Amino acid sequence: MPEKLLKKTACTLSPLGDSAIVITFGNGMEYSVHKKIKLLKDLLEEEPFAGFIECVPAYTNLTVFYDPLVIYKDQNQNKSNGNETISPFEVVRSILEMKLQDLKEDKKLVHRTVTIPVCYGNEYGPDLEYVARYNDLTTDEVIHIHSAGEYLAYMIGFAPGFPFLGGLSENIATPRRSSPRMTIPAGAVGIAGMQTGVYPISTPGGWQLIGQTPTKLFLPNVNPPSLLQAGDIVKFQPITDQEYKEMILKEGVQ
C-alpha cells in the first residue's frame, strides 16, 4: 500500500498501520499548509464517513483514524450488490480523495482567539535574561515583543494540551537549552527557535523559560481536555507577580 500523490491539492496519502491514513500537505510550518489541514479536519468532523474515529492535525499533515472492522462490515453488506471487496485502507483512501477534490481552499478560516496571562521573568521565567542577551535586547524589550505578537496554534502535542505556536518574532527567537531541565512546572511559557509554547503539565523539557501563566491548559475533566486547539490564535497578556498570585488563589478556590 504505497503512498499516493494527489495533484489537485498537492498532498500525499500513505497508510499508518492498518487503521489510519496520513495526509501530508507540505514540509514546513506554513499557514497555507495549516489551512488545508484545518479545512479537511473540519469537513471530516462535519461529514464523517462510516468507521471514522478521529483526525489529528500536525504541522504538515493530518492523520485520519478509522475502524477497519466497520469498513469490512460495510463491504460485506455491499457484496450482495456485486461490488468487489477491497481493503479498508483503499476504501478510506478513496473517500479522502473525494473529500480532497471537493475541498474549498478559498474558504476563509475562522480562528478563535485565546488570551493567556503571563508573569514574565524572575522565578517565573529563569531564562528571560538569557533570551535577552542572546538577541542583544533588554528583558523589557523581550517581554514587549513576546506579548505584542499573535500566535497560531499549529498543533497540540508532546504533552497533553501543549500548544506549538508559530508566529514568533525573529527578534526574540532563541535555540533550545543545550541541557534540558528534568522538571518544568505546569504553566511555564517558553521559546524554542521560532516557536513559543506553554507547558500544560509538569514535565521535562528544553525550551527557554521566560514566564509563567496561572491559566490551566490541560483540563482532564473537560471535553475536549485541552484549553487550546489547533487553529486557535493565542495572545499573551503581561501580569504582575501580585496578579499572578491572586489568579492562582482564585484557581485553587474554584
Side-chain angles (χ1 to χ4, degrees):
M1 295 184 293
E3 69 176 23
K4 181 175 181 179
L5 174 65
L6 197 62
K7 293 183 178 180
K8 178 182 180 295
T9 51
C11 65
T12 58
L13 294 85
S14 52
L16 180 65
D18 61 359
S19 59
I21 293 180
V22 179
I23 308 167
T24 303
F25 292 90
N27 55 15
M29 188 172 64
E30 301 174 3
Y31 184 80
S32 60
V33 172
H34 167 79
K35 182 178 180 179
K36 293 176 183 178
I37 292 170
K38 185 67 166 58
L39 287 173
L40 181 58
K41 176 180 181 293
D42 291 346
L43 180 60
L44 288 170
E45 291 177 343
E46 291 168 2
E47 303 174 5
F49 57 86
F52 173 81
I53 297 176
E54 66 174 338
C55 47
V56 179
Y59 278 129
T60 61
N61 61 61
L62 182 71
T63 301
V64 180
F65 293 89
Y66 58 88
D67 186 338
L69 295 179
V70 173
I71 305 296
Y72 271 123
K73 182 178 179 181
D74 283 354
Q75 283 288 291
N76 290 331
Q77 290 175 344
N78 290 331
K79 280 184 178 180
S80 60
N81 298 327
N83 293 339
E84 180 183 356
T85 299
I86 59 177
S87 71
F89 167 77
E90 292 170 318
V91 172
V92 176
R93 182 173 67 179
S94 177
I95 293 171
L96 294 175
E97 288 173 353
M98 289 188 290
K99 296 282 189 185
L100 285 162
Q101 293 292 342
D102 294 335
L103 205 62
K104 296 179 174 59
E105 295 184 25
D106 58 344
K107 182 179 179 180
K108 185 177 180 180
L109 292 182
V110 177
H111 299 281
R112 181 182 66 146
T113 299
V114 180
T115 299
I116 296 178
V118 180
C119 187
Y120 289 93
N122 300 318
E123 70 268 30
Y124 303 110
D127 299 321
L128 178 61
E129 291 187 4
Y130 175 80
V131 172
R133 290 197 306 272
Y134 183 85
N135 292 286
D136 295 321
L137 299 169
T138 66
T139 55
D140 284 344
E141 287 173 326
V142 172
I143 294 170
H144 173 74
I145 294 171
H146 187 263
S147 60
E150 291 189 357
Y151 305 95
L152 175 64
Y154 278 88
M155 62 177 286
I156 306 297
F158 162 62
F162 187 101
F164 287 86
L165 305 175
L168 185 72
S169 169
E170 293 182 357
N171 294 328
I172 57 174
T174 310
R176 288 174 170 83
R177 289 170 53 89
S178 58
S179 178
R181 292 181 171 90
M182 293 303 296
T183 303
I184 290 178
V189 178
I191 288 175
M194 287 293 296
Q195 301 174 97
T196 186
V198 184
Y199 285 84
I201 61 175
S202 178
T203 178
W207 290 36
Q208 305 286 353
L209 306 183
I210 62 172
Q212 184 93 7
T213 179
T215 299
K216 294 181 179 179
L217 272 68
F218 177 52
L219 308 166
N221 297 320
V222 176
N223 185 25
S226 175
L227 173 66
L228 299 175
Q229 302 295 319
D232 286 346
I233 297 294
V234 175
K235 297 181 179 181
F236 294 106
Q237 175 65 47
I239 58 174
T240 65
D241 175 78
Q242 183 60 34
E243 288 173 324
Y244 175 88
K245 291 176 179 176
E246 290 175 355
M247 290 181 183
I248 286 290
L249 182 62
K250 184 178 180 180
E251 286 280 352
V253 172
Q254 292 179 345

